[in-house]
Amino acid sequence: MSAPEPTDGLGSWKQFLCRACGLIYDEGEGDPDGGLPPGTRFADIPDDWACPICGVTKADFEPYQRRTRVAAAPVAIAPQRRPGVVIVGAGLAGWSTAEAIRAEDATIPITLVTACDGDLYHKPELSIALGRGLSPADLRRETGVEAASRLGARLMSETFAIGLSPERHSLRTTRGTLPYTHLVLAHGARPALPACLDPSLCWRVNDLAAWSGLHAELAQKPRNVAIIGAGLVGCELAEDLARAGHTVTLIGAEARPLPELLPEQAARRLLAGLGGLGVSFLGGTLVNGLARRKEGDIALALADGTSLVAETVIAATGLATPSRLVRGAGIAFDKGIAVDPATLRTSAPDIFALGDCISIAGSPCRYIEPVARQAQVIARAILGWESPGYAHAAPVIRLKTRSAPIELHGVPVAGAPWHVTEESERRLAMEQRQGGEVVAWLAA
């Protein structure tokens, strides 16, 4: 249900961006499931309201300027002859770029090339969906075909980019060569699977298609699940699967989860919260191999010579940006597609990049929150408009673990101590008075 046009004299409905997960709160739409009916102004939201995706409060939202979209021109189904903007990738970064461009220009041709079907969903929901009983249909917000029609864009789904010529301004795909005036690389990153792990024996949950397959397997009955990797995704999946009724063992290479990110106190709190849900943590060990047993389950060979048996194995062992396409085109690559920190231009003319696939000063950018701002900067550059540029800042990092919610403001510097801020102490005291969960609000 959408709210009618505002009649409170406060102007049009405004939007606010969650700095932790990228969710956009629209005053016109509200959050009915969270007790906020359509038309609830941001200023009227109670201080204890929580983001429906990651759980942070309204203090971690910032104004988001979503421009009114101009009417898009009809898109031809036939191959497009006129060069325009070609976007490689139809995930959040790709669609955000298409939206930002189309909000300003109704006629510029836009083509999205994607190896998947291009359906729209909110990626942070993947690590909390099972515990909430959500299905793939519940997570899908719009099909790729519907989004392309709405934006007047051409969607080339199930299509792979296989070659790039910056000199010719052309992209080779499995469905032919596309000329472009500007190219946007938004193809994300892929799960980085160690060579010792057989990909046919473990799930990697990095998109809706993979999650849908895992969902189908786990929907059959409660299962014994092993999760390899105790990072952000591994910890969130461990809690989600435990809440969904599965028996979970979380395996980490270090003695505690997220050792490079969490201070020891927060890691202990996280382990206690997961343990309260029945999650077993096996730390300080590596998985050296997987093998299917005759019983049908999977044996995990551990580095200490012991083994573990599970019915389902999930690998949450990090991400890596595919480099073949850009390296073949001579584009600078440094742990990701190297971009200018202010303009997000690559080293090649008229080629931009954003989202999970980029790196700034050699550091990969793997968080959702900056994508909307990155897309707007690129859109304005493509259209030849002035822009204040992109200013990269460390996002709020929120572990979506309700058993032990943890927020990290800032990125830790090696060797630097963490401390609890004054705001942390206020929040901790408030939570304790209300009898709720204690939130660790920590900063470097």
Side-chain angles (χ1 to χ4, degrees), residues 226-246:
I227 299 176
I228 305 171
L232 285 166
V233 173
C235 291
E236 291 175 355
L237 284 174
E239 169 157 325
D240 192 45
L241 269 63
R243 290 187 181 278
H246 303 284

Side-chain angles (χ1 to χ4, degrees), residues 360-380:
I360 295 177
S363 296
C365 301
R366 298 270 163 78
Y367 296 103
I368 296 293
E369 177 270 328
V371 168
R373 292 184 287 113
Q374 293 172 355
Q376 289 182 343
V377 168
I378 291 175
R380 295 183 72 85

Side-chain angles (χ1 to χ4, degrees), residues 308-403:
L308 176 71
V309 174
E311 296 171 287
T312 297
V313 177
I314 301 172
T317 48
L319 297 173
T321 302
S323 63
R324 181 193 56 79
L325 182 69
V326 293
R327 288 188 188 277
I331 297 174
F333 189 92
D334 185 6
K335 301 177 184 175
I337 302 171
V339 296
D340 181 276
T343 65
L344 302 175
R345 295 178 185 271
T346 71
S347 62
D350 300 321
I351 299 179
F352 299 81
L354 77 162
D356 284 356
C357 66
I358 70 170
S359 68
I360 295 177
S363 296
C365 301
R366 298 270 163 78
Y367 296 103
I368 296 293
E369 177 270 328
V371 168
R373 292 184 287 113
Q374 293 172 355
Q376 289 182 343
V377 168
I378 291 175
R380 295 183 72 85
I382 287 174
L383 297 172
W385 294 3
E386 291 186 5
S387 168
Y390 174 67
H392 189 66
V396 177
I397 300 172
R398 166 78 187 205
L399 270 74
K400 299 186 288 294
T401 46
R402 287 181 288 158
S403 62

Side-chain angles (χ1 to χ4, degrees), residues 90-91 95 116-121 140-145 155 208:
W95 283 117
C116 64
D117 54 19
D119 291 350
L120 281 72
Y121 62 97
R140 189 177 295 107
R141 301 186 175 193
E142 188 177 18
T143 69
V145 172
L155 176 66
L208 182 57

